[in-house]
Amino acid sequence: MNLEATPQGVVAGSVPLFAGHPARDLLPIDGLQRIISAAWGDGGVARFLNYGAEQGNPQLIDFLVERMNRTENLGISRENLMIIGGSTGGVGMITRHLTVPGDIVLVDAPSYRDALHIFRDHKLDMRSVPIDDEGIIAADLECKLRELASKGERPRFYYVVPNFQNPSGITMTRERRMAVIELSRRYGFAIVEDDVYSDLRFAGATPPSFYGLAGGQNVLRLGTFSKTLAPGLRIGWLIASADRIAEFVESGMLRMGGGANPFSAALVADYCRSGAWEAHVEWLRGQYRRRRDMALAALESSMPAAVEWTRPAGGYFIWLRLPAAVYVDDLESRAQEQGVYFASGKGFYVDPADGAHHLRLSFSFVSPPELRAGIEVLGNLIAQMAQ
Amino acid sequence: MNLEATPQGVVAGSVPLFAGHPARDLLPIDGLQRIISAAWGDGGVARFLNYGAEQGNPQLIDFLVERMNRTENLGISRENLMIIGGSTGGVGMITRHLTVPGDIVLVDAPSYRDALHIFRDHKLDMRSVPIDDEGIIAADLECKLRELASKGERPRFYYVVPNFQNPSGITMTRERRMAVIELSRRYGFAIVEDDVYSDLRFAGATPPSFYGLAGGQNVLRLGTFSKTLAPGLRIGWLIASADRIAEFVESGMLRMGGGANPFSAALVADYCRSGAWEAHVEWLRGQYRRRRDMALAALESSMPAAVEWTRPAGGYFIWLRLPAAVYVDDLESRAQEQGVYFASGKGFYVDPADGAHHLRLSFSFVSPPELRAGIEVLGNLIAQMAQ
């Protein structure tokens, strides 16, 4: 079972702390209904229903370009953006387009599980670099690159979730981003920036994107409406150089056959243009912040002293390090007996053994009482097991 | 410009006889609205909006399995079917999964342009075999296979649009299908059956599918709602052996990140389960038959004697052969001057030169008066050019 995508697979009455989904009560169901009704009412719905251009819905492209230029001063034009069917599908597209089997790609340790799955099945040679509270450790990255260069090898790209990372919740600092860009130029690799959580910051601003810091040079940046609107619509976007976008749009290897989901995309475009999306994102920030606070408070009161965890400033996830005596496999089976499910750390590493004492909790999907109860169960189990 | 997918790219007032789209007045706009309203009314809409399983919407899978077993006695179960984002995307998925660059694939001459584009960009070695009014010429196919075998080579698969082929409108006979299956077993290649038009038969029945005739063995069959419901929903399906479907669902190379368009798929599932889709298909058959009849009558009255064309028993397309003195490139530029656009034959062949005297007309998208007027313009131009 793909736990990332199917919480419905879980036993009724259980607490799915693994699900990287928005909770049902955080989906803007009424707002979307108003948009759909209006589209049908004004007869414009035919444009929802036929084939579209491969680059995607033009109104949605224009909206995203304007927003990104307004909020980030990004300086992009419509040639720099295409609509895709979600960001994970985008990672697949980029991988197909930029790599051949055997190519080296760099990933964080830990990194997003579905991306590792994609790279593995494309038979790529994944090399991981550890992260700390500021993101990838630049000195370790440089060592890895020098080592590769000494053998005449070079990575094709570095894949990164820069903000509120899945699974750790960590945001890479501006300094680290600059260091990575500098290395990417020196050693000649692209940066694939999977920026799915940046809109869900709980306060302040995230650092500028890799795309922005690099002036767009050799960066491919993914975004999505899955976390801030509704995953089932399967609409995301890719920002890159105009040449790169044109290649993607024209490529028979990436052919969507009429653009990314014209029906959903037109609905999303109308929703965004009405102003509803940005208001909804603002509201969501408060909702997820409250859940994050509750999760951190529950961890504080439930966890034995030897457990460590991250304090994310946005997004969906908290990353736990268990005491050395506690193995995540054991904890997982005992927790499941009590109906509590989480994402084992092992899935987030190139070498699963590196995650033997880690786990990811998601505070996005379950209700606040379930969140507290689930964390309490885990705290008790860990306390018993650590003795 | 991708003419297959963007009729909106054409100059206003022109006659787009190239567009393989349903006409706007053939989209079931009111029926879809009823389904959407009902889903919002009963509060079940949350299931439209979150991630789904990678295999696709379970209700839609069950509906398609039941229908195919009922109407074709196909004997499949839910393990044999997955939901995909349209059939062209499905051709891409199959190609990624079954081939590596340099592999040989067999195609008809002519064949579906977007499929050739996909195969070309995957760097496959395409070999084409001519068709006649009964489909692929089995003796020619056998010669090609013997020739390959003598060099120790063998094709990975044969790609075919079996019913009302795009671009020719031709349906392969049962006998030819059996001959192909026999050869596929002897020479060890798969059959990729892109069956997008079979529901749009104007009378009687189509021959049994390759999948049915081969008992499912080594056949991958694609279907779609794009021609019988609405392309913008981007929902199709793939039927294959349970092992093959499981491979596709699990593969990181094909990962959709939450299944094919959960929102559209749930809408399509509700529409189908209400009985509306099968009624709509029945109605569409009459509508497209009327357009086909009108197109054939216009060809009869407008074309010089030396022009030949097919008489499709379903689908969207008529295929024309021009007199030897008339080159399609010349005709295309003269027709465009008069605002009439068609699909040049050259795009449908591995070697474009083979299509220098052919063109495809689509009777699905334009209005009946435009259809007649467009064909009249072409008839007059060909008559002038043939002199």
Side-chain angles (χ1 to χ4, degrees):
Chain A
M1 186 173 59
N2 166 26
L3 296 182
E4 202 76 44
T6 57
Q8 60 269 44
V10 169
V11 186
S14 67
V15 183
L17 292 173
F18 61 81
H21 293 53
R24 294 205 175 85
D25 57 337
L26 300 183
L27 299 168
I29 292 176
D30 293 343
L32 285 170
Q33 183 178 24
R34 274 193 294 277
I35 293 299
I36 288 195
S37 299
W40 249 281
D42 74 6
V45 75
R47 89 200 131 86
F48 282 50
L49 292 173
N50 228 318
Y51 292 103
E54 285 288 313
Q55 193 180 342
N57 182 289
Q59 286 78 31
L60 187 55
I61 292 173
D62 287 344
F63 171 83
L64 287 166
V65 166
E66 187 280 328
R67 178 176 191 256
M68 231 99 50
N69 288 340
R70 168 167 46 85
T71 61
E72 302 181 35
N73 197 20
L74 209 57
I76 56 172
S77 63
R78 62 189 338 278
E79 287 67 36
N80 296 115
L81 194 146
M82 72 184 288
I83 304 300
I84 58 177
S87 67
T88 299
V91 174
M93 284 177 57
I94 291 170
T95 305
R96 286 206 288 295
H97 197 77
L98 295 191
T99 70
V100 296
D103 276 356
I104 296 168
V105 293
L106 299 167
V107 297
D108 291 337
S111 186
Y112 173 44
R113 186 169 47 179
D114 277 6
L116 300 185
H117 182 193
I118 289 169
F119 301 150
R120 194 176 293 122
D121 282 9
H122 279 85
K123 300 188 172 60
L124 300 183
D125 182 356
M126 290 185 277
R127 308 293 176 97
S128 61
V129 179
I131 61 172
D132 62 20
D133 283 352
E134 301 189 343
I136 193 166
I137 300 172
D140 288 355
L141 174 60
E142 189 165 2
C143 282
K144 183 82 66 180
L145 289 163
R146 251 202 320 263
E147 181 197 322
L148 289 172
S150 74
K151 292 182 281 185
E153 294 174 331
R154 131 181 122 142
R156 198 68 194 84
F157 60 74
Y158 165 50
Y159 168 81
V160 58
V161 181
N163 298 308
F164 325 124
Q165 194 224 29
N166 183 356
S168 71
I170 286 168
T171 295
M172 197 183 300
T173 61
R174 181 193 173 107
E175 291 65 33
R176 295 280 176 93
R177 296 179 194 218
M178 290 303 299
V180 170
I181 290 167
E182 205 277 311
L183 290 169
S184 85
R185 288 179 181 164
R186 192 164 357 133
Y187 289 94
F189 58 91
I191 297 167
V192 176
E193 179 176 30
D194 196 2
D195 189 21
V196 294
Y197 301 103
S198 62
D199 283 313
L200 295 179
R201 58 185 173 275
F202 301 148
T206 53
S209 66
F210 280 98
Y211 189 91
L213 290 169
Q217 206 188 314
N218 218 8
V219 178
L220 298 98
R221 176 175 169 192
L222 293 160
T224 182
F225 288 100
S226 292
K227 311 302 178 186
T228 56
L229 181 46
L233 298 170
R234 301 278 72 208
I235 296 292
W237 61 88
L238 169 65
I239 301 173
S241 71
D243 287 351
R244 197 74 98 178
I245 294 294
E247 277 170 36
F248 274 66
V249 169
E250 293 299 322
S251 171
M253 289 182 67
L254 310 178
R255 190 125 214 101
M256 291 182 273
N261 312 347
F263 180 73
S264 296
L267 175 61
V268 173
D270 281 6
Y271 186 77
C272 288
R273 281 144 49 98
S274 76
W277 180 59
E278 287 176 283
H280 181 65
V281 168
E282 197 53 48
W283 177 78
L284 276 181
R285 286 182 187 139
Q287 296 296 315
Y288 283 121
R289 183 173 53 229
R290 203 166 58 86
R291 285 166 191 251
R292 189 263 329 248
D293 291 344
M294 219 167 283
L296 290 177
L299 286 163
E300 207 62 61
S301 66
S302 306
M303 285 293 152
V307 179
E308 295 176 8
W309 58 88
T310 56
R311 283 160 185 79
Y316 279 8
F317 306 114
I318 296 174
W319 183 239
L320 268 72
R321 193 167 74 185
L322 300 170
V326 180
Y327 285 82
V328 71
D329 287 348
D330 297 342
L331 178 64
E332 191 171 29
S333 50
R334 293 196 204 194
Q336 287 182 9
E337 282 168 20
Q338 299 194 38
V340 176
Y341 293 76
F342 57 77
S344 163
K346 296 170 85 172
F348 300 98
Y349 288 93
V350 175
D351 179 355
D354 291 342
H357 299 282
H358 284 94
L359 64 94
R360 186 194 76 180
L361 297 182
S362 168
F363 52 83
S364 64
F365 185 68
V366 296
S367 68
E370 287 177 315
L371 186 59
R372 265 191 303 266
I375 289 172
E376 204 168 299
V377 165
L378 295 180
N380 289 336
L381 285 172
I382 296 167
Q384 288 162 27
M385 293 166 70
Q387 282 170 358
Chain B
M1 187 175 58
N2 166 28
L3 295 181
E4 202 77 45
T6 56
Q8 60 269 43
V10 171
V11 186
S14 66
V15 182
L17 292 172
F18 62 79
H21 292 52
R24 295 206 175 85
D25 56 337
L26 300 182
L27 298 169
I29 292 176
D30 293 342
L32 285 171
Q33 183 178 24
R34 274 193 293 276
I35 293 299
I36 288 196
S37 301
W40 250 280
D42 73 6
V45 75
R47 89 200 131 84
F48 282 50
L49 291 174
N50 228 318
Y51 291 104
E54 285 288 312
Q55 192 179 343
N57 182 289
Q59 285 77 32
L60 187 55
I61 291 173
D62 287 344
F63 171 84
L64 288 165
V65 166
E66 187 281 327
R67 178 177 190 254
M68 232 95 56
N69 288 339
R70 167 166 46 85
T71 61
E72 302 181 36
N73 198 21
L74 208 58
I76 56 173
S77 63
R78 61 188 339 278
E79 287 67 35
N80 296 116
L81 194 146
M82 71 184 289
I83 304 301
I84 58 177
S87 66
T88 299
V91 174
M93 283 177 56
I94 291 170
T95 305
R96 287 207 288 295
H97 197 76
L98 295 191
T99 69
V100 295
D103 276 357
I104 296 168
V105 293
L106 299 167
V107 297
D108 292 337
S111 187
Y112 173 43
R113 185 170 47 179
D114 277 6
L116 301 185
H117 181 193
I118 289 169
F119 301 149
R120 194 176 295 120
D121 282 9
H122 279 85
K123 300 186 173 58
L124 300 183
D125 181 357
M126 289 186 277
R127 307 295 175 94
S128 61
V129 179
I131 61 172
D132 63 18
D133 284 352
E134 302 189 342
I136 194 168
I137 300 173
D140 288 356
L141 174 61
E142 190 167 0
C143 283
K144 183 84 64 182
L145 289 163
R146 250 201 323 261
E147 181 198 322
L148 289 171
S150 74
K151 292 182 280 185
E153 294 174 330
R154 127 183 125 143
R156 197 68 194 84
F157 61 73
Y158 164 51
Y159 169 82
V160 59
V161 181
N163 298 307
F164 325 125
Q165 195 225 27
N166 183 356
S168 71
I170 286 168
T171 295
M172 198 183 302
T173 61
R174 180 194 174 108
E175 291 65 34
R176 295 279 175 91
R177 296 179 195 217
M178 290 301 299
V180 170
I181 290 168
E182 205 276 313
L183 290 169
S184 84
R185 288 181 181 165
R186 196 169 350 137
Y187 290 94
F189 58 90
I191 297 168
V192 177
E193 180 176 28
D194 196 2
D195 190 21
V196 293
Y197 301 101
S198 61
D199 283 314
L200 295 179
R201 57 185 174 277
F202 301 147
T206 53
S209 66
F210 279 99
Y211 188 91
L213 290 169
Q217 208 189 314
N218 219 8
V219 178
L220 297 98
R221 178 176 168 192
L222 294 160
T224 183
F225 287 100
S226 292
K227 310 304 176 184
T228 56
L229 181 45
L233 298 170
R234 300 279 72 207
I235 297 292
W237 60 88
L238 170 65
I239 301 173
S241 71
D243 288 351
R244 198 74 97 180
I245 294 294
E247 276 170 36
F248 274 65
V249 169
E250 294 300 321
S251 172
M253 290 182 65
L254 310 178
R255 189 127 215 101
M256 291 182 273
N261 312 348
F263 180 72
S264 297
L267 174 62
V268 173
D270 282 7
Y271 186 78
C272 287
R273 280 144 48 98
S274 76
W277 180 59
E278 287 175 283
H280 181 66
V281 168
E282 197 54 47
W283 177 78
L284 277 181
R285 286 182 189 138
Q287 296 296 315
Y288 284 121
R289 183 173 53 230
R290 203 167 59 86
R291 285 166 191 251
R292 188 265 329 249
D293 290 346
M294 221 167 282
L296 291 177
L299 287 164
E300 206 62 60
S301 67
S302 306
M303 286 294 152
V307 179
E308 294 176 9
W309 58 88
T310 57
R311 283 159 184 79
Y316 280 8
F317 306 114
I318 297 173
W319 184 239
L320 267 71
R321 194 167 73 186
L322 301 169
V326 180
Y327 285 82
V328 71
D329 287 349
D330 297 342
L331 179 64
E332 192 171 28
S333 50
R334 295 197 201 193
Q336 287 182 8
E337 282 168 19
Q338 299 195 39
V340 176
Y341 294 76
F342 56 78
S344 163
K346 296 170 86 172
F348 300 98
Y349 288 93
V350 176
D351 179 355
D354 291 342
H357 300 282
H358 284 94
L359 64 94
R360 187 194 76 179
L361 297 181
S362 168
F363 52 84
S364 64
F365 185 68
V366 296
S367 69
E370 286 177 315
L371 186 59
R372 264 192 303 268
I375 289 172
E376 203 168 299
V377 166
L378 295 180
N380 288 337
L381 285 172
I382 296 167
Q384 288 163 27
M385 294 166 71
Q387 280 172 357

